[in-house]
Amino acid sequence: MEIIHRKNEVRTIIKEAKTRGKIIGFVPTMGYLHHGHISLIRKAIADGCFTIVSIFVNPLQFGPDEDFQRYPRDLVRDLSMLKKEFVDVVFVPSTDEMYTKSHLTEVRVPVISEKLEGKFRPGHFTGVCTVVAKLFNLTSPDKAYFGWKDAQQLIIIKKMVVDLDLHIEIVSVPTVRDSDGLAASSRNKYLSEQERKKALVLSRALQKIKEMVELENITDSEVLIATGKKIINSEDVELQYLEAVELENLEPVSVIKNNTGILGAIKVGKVRLIDNIIWE
Ligand code: AMP
């Protein structure tokens, strides 16, 4: 496993792998890896890719009052996890390596970036798209792997790839959960034991909705969302949104059917958590 920090090293290694006929699989992450990240990496490796993982906590996608400084980081632990997975390359750039002091350009996917998460995290997806576009240009992947855990991010990246004619297949991977149902997330580290118990209300509400749809054939969004909100509001957490939407454009839907999803966010103490269920 090669660990590299420089953009020109990425280009050289990828060029060399391509001349050997390798399919490049790219997994962008912000590190502090968990089994959600690992499932993306295993998918890339199972697909036979020359697999490159990036670890970069991207300052551009954090608002001024968000957790950029205290975002969990543990490179030694991350690298030992990646080594066990037989990853080919890990790219760990510094902020100065990624962005020159005079960096100006942004990649913005309007409309769908302003919904849901976008209302609570203005500018977040522009930061995400800008760094992902740069990382795509550096790694020239054939396939890039993203988790459904961040459903809106996945949908926006897919749109960016289509709109900019990027020749990259976006592979989506199901949300990985801990045994108690909580969606795995680096930010779960912030939760105290008490908060973690409270946080479970989001996955519990989504699970109840899933059962209503799949076992009882209840597909009326209003009924489903009302039930979900009631469950969430029964716990001492702040519900930020719970919405039924079309997956492609994130427009509200009145009936759950294929290619729709229910996306939600809560705040438990100071910690924001997102989760969803989707019907692909
Ligand atoms: P992050 O490091 O949080 O930026 O996540 C990097 C990638 O891992 C993104 O594509 C996420 O959607 C994905 N990911 C994070 N958590 C999970 C999870 N619990 N299940 C599946 N994918 C995940």
Side-chain angles (χ1 to χ4, degrees), residues 26 67 75 114 121-122 129 140 161 175 189 198 215 253 259:
F26 174 48
D67 55 346
L75 187 58
E114 284 129 35
R121 305 189 69 188
C129 288
S140 315
V161 163
T175 299
K189 178 187 154 58
K198 293 181 187 173
L215 304 178
V253 286
N259 295 316

Side-chain angles (χ1 to χ4, degrees), residues 28-30 34 36-37 40 71 146-147 149-150 153 174-176 184:
T29 82
M30 297 207 298
H34 50 68
H37 297 112
L40 307 194
Y71 192 84
F146 289 84
K149 155 76 174 37
D150 300 276
Q153 169 174 281
T175 299
V176 174

Side-chain angles (χ1 to χ4, degrees), residues 46-104:
D47 286 349
C49 293
F50 179 89
T51 303
I52 174 161
V53 176
S54 64
I55 298 177
F56 179 60
V57 185
N58 173 34
L60 241 58
Q61 69 191 65
F62 289 79
D65 299 326
E66 292 186 355
D67 55 346
F68 173 68
Q69 292 300 343
R70 63 183 199 107
Y71 192 84
R73 293 161 172 92
D74 190 342
L75 187 58
V76 173
R77 180 173 153 277
D78 288 349
L79 293 177
S80 83
M81 285 171 79
L82 293 173
K83 211 164 173 186
K84 287 189 199 129
E85 299 299 324
F86 301 104
V87 165
D88 293 290
V89 181
V90 191
F91 177 44
V92 195
S94 65
T95 303
D96 289 348
E97 180 70 9
M98 280 307 284
Y99 298 110
T100 62
K101 293 266 178 295
S102 57
H103 181 99
L104 282 177

Side-chain angles (χ1 to χ4, degrees), residues 27-40 54 56 61 71 145-151 153-154 171 173-178 182-188:
V27 184
T29 82
M30 297 207 298
Y32 208 75
L33 303 178
H34 50 68
H35 55 158
H37 297 112
I38 297 300
S39 76
L40 307 194
S54 64
F56 179 60
Q61 69 191 65
Y71 192 84
Y145 295 78
F146 289 84
W148 269 117
K149 155 76 174 37
D150 300 276
Q153 169 174 281
L154 169 63
V171 181
V173 176
T175 299
V176 174
R177 298 177 182 281
D178 291 345
L182 193 69
S185 164
S186 307
R187 288 191 168 97
N188 292 349

Side-chain angles (χ1 to χ4, degrees), residues 201 204-205 208-209 226-235:
V201 77
R204 212 164 51 232
K208 172 69 185 165
I209 292 173
T227 306
K229 284 188 172 172
K230 199 167 159 204
I231 294 172
I232 294 168
N233 287 328
S234 71
E235 188 52 273

Side-chain angles (χ1 to χ4, degrees), residues 5-20:
H5 302 276
R6 298 279 182 185
K7 295 193 241 190
N8 58 2
E9 292 174 291
V10 183
R11 289 211 160 97
T12 309
I13 288 180
I14 296 295
K15 202 170 163 191
E16 196 267 336
K18 286 200 170 185
T19 54
R20 287 189 283 129

Side-chain angles (χ1 to χ4, degrees), residues 209-220 224 256:
I209 292 173
K210 187 173 158 66
E211 286 166 14
M212 287 169 74
V213 174
E214 293 172 18
L215 304 178
E216 297 171 50
N217 261 324
I218 301 170
T219 55
D220 182 335
L224 297 166
I256 291 299

